[in-house]
Amino acid sequence: MAFEQKRIGIFDSGIGGFSIWKELIKELSGHQFFYISDVPNSPYGNKSSQFIRQRAEVLSNELLKEKVDIILLACNTATAEAIDGLRDKFNVPFVGIEPFVKSIESLDLGENNIRPVVLTTRAMHDSVRFKELILKFDKDKILTPHACDNLASLIEVAYKKGLDSVEKEIEEELKPLRDKNYTHAILGCTHYPLISDKIARYLNVECISPCLPVSKRVAYILKAGPIDSRTELYFKTSNQENFETFSPALLSLK
Ligand code: DGL
């Protein structure tokens, strides 16, 4: 079946959404993608709910000017604070991303010593939505929630200057989690999968991220799949007027 070409809007406080974008362009190759990074206002993790909601509205309006068919909040923090309001206000489907707490259902809890930690931003950690998520899926209370105050910002620097430039600071940030015998790290901020190899090695854990299922959800809602056309990627930061063509090679850290 041939699918119609779709226009897919994405935003995040910065480059975190690249972790989903990488999956999305495989699920929906041949479609058009518009990504706004709100890096002048990042990190969202230490901002108020009101500020994040207001930014989410501004960015959604920007994407709607591009006549997008769907908007992906490629940001856990913005999803927690803003997605309900956006759905009420705008007449376009929204897909969000949340810490993949539900994934513990598929861990073999029969096995001894499963100790998952959920890494999130501070705002996510403190949000009502996160607390509800944990109450709903962590019935056996095996999860440890942990807020990483600086990790998303450090990953922004890693993108510009290379991972080597901030590796020590990243280790400092993760140090309190070392030697706690965690077995899994649920990555509850879209920035974190960009350094999942580093997190896995440093904490000696298996990392879990929802990027793939979220991409599949976008395709499902759009009722679309790959099409035989050139994938078009457009990117801008929120202080730029126009989108620019973006190279897929830039989706990963140096
Ligand atoms: N990437 C975002 C998230 O998934 C936000 C990181 C931040 O700006 O603090 O939560």
Side-chain angles (χ1 to χ4, degrees), residues 12-13 43-45 75-77 121 152 189-191:
D12 177 49
S13 64
Y44 282 175
C75 176
N76 294 261
T77 312
T121 64
C189 164
T190 51
H191 282 71

